[in-house]
Amino acid sequence: MHSPAFPIQNINDFFDIYANALEIHDTKGMTFLHQIPCNMVSDDAYTLFSDASKLEGFFNQGMTFYRQFGIVKVSGDVRSKIDLTKRITTAKVNWRYADANRNPIYNCDYHYLMKLDKNGLWKIILSVSINERERMEEWKSKMEL
């Protein structure tokens, strides 16, 4: 099968779809946006997901956190995008999380390595959390005051 030379979605649209999936707790949809296998990396952890059901289970754990802390609005601001090849790109995204009244809860940065699949859709192959844990801890400590 011939691979499309150009994506059928741009990176901003991709992260809008991802943010919507987060908001509606669509863990299957979030999983679909990743190429399996994929990696998630932070200063504290390195996780390889070679099974889609395990990745979906990981996302389900995150949804529990969102519900517990009232996160209902999610938006991703693509800060930069660098095409490494015709089918591989990197993106830096600032995620913003808010409550039902759109009051900010916290924001954090991620870097993604992405690849076009055979249908011309972007898939995440590597997620690097830059500061989510620190930003979450800052927010939680402010709540405790």
Side-chain angles (χ1 to χ4, degrees):
M1 172 181 228
H2 175 65
S3 299
F6 300 101
I8 60 173
Q9 65 186 179
N10 70 39
I11 293 296
N12 289 320
D13 291 342
F14 175 91
F15 285 106
D16 287 346
I17 292 165
Y18 197 106
N20 184 62
L22 278 164
E23 282 184 359
I24 65 172
H25 303 179
D26 179 6
T27 56
K28 283 192 186 319
M30 291 167 61
T31 301
F32 176 77
L33 297 173
H34 289 75
Q35 181 172 307
I36 303 297
C38 65
N39 293 297
M40 294 194 178
V41 181
S42 68
D43 282 342
D44 305 326
Y46 171 88
T47 308
L48 169 66
F49 291 96
S50 56
D51 181 289
S53 65
K54 289 193 176 9
L55 180 60
E56 186 178 351
F58 175 79
F59 289 140
N60 278 319
Q61 290 175 354
M63 293 305 119
T64 300
F65 172 85
Y66 287 2
R67 281 190 283 276
Q68 179 182 355
F69 291 103
I71 295 171
V72 297
K73 185 68 184 150
V74 180
S75 62
D77 179 23
V78 177
R79 299 286 172 97
S80 66
K81 174 188 174 291
I82 300 169
D83 293 328
L84 301 177
T85 71
K86 289 180 184 177
R87 303 182 60 80
I88 300 170
T89 194
T90 65
K92 178 182 179 185
V93 178
N94 178 258
W95 289 103
R96 293 181 302 267
Y97 302 95
D99 65 18
N101 296 319
R102 297 187 182 266
N103 295 316
I105 294 178
Y106 74 93
N107 71 79
C108 62
D109 301 302
Y110 271 78
H111 284 262
Y112 296 94
L113 183 62
M114 304 170 70
K115 185 174 185 196
L116 281 175
D117 72 5
K118 65 185 177 190
N119 299 311
L121 297 173
W122 289 110
K123 300 288 184 170
I124 296 170
I125 57 177
L126 172 67
S127 299
V128 181
S129 172
I130 305 303
N131 55 13
E132 185 168 29
R133 182 175 174 188
E134 296 84 357
R135 298 278 175 88
M136 222 185 295
E137 288 173 358
E138 283 173 24
W139 169 71
K140 285 166 70 178
S141 67
K142 287 178 189 173
M143 282 185 49
E144 293 167 0
L145 295 177

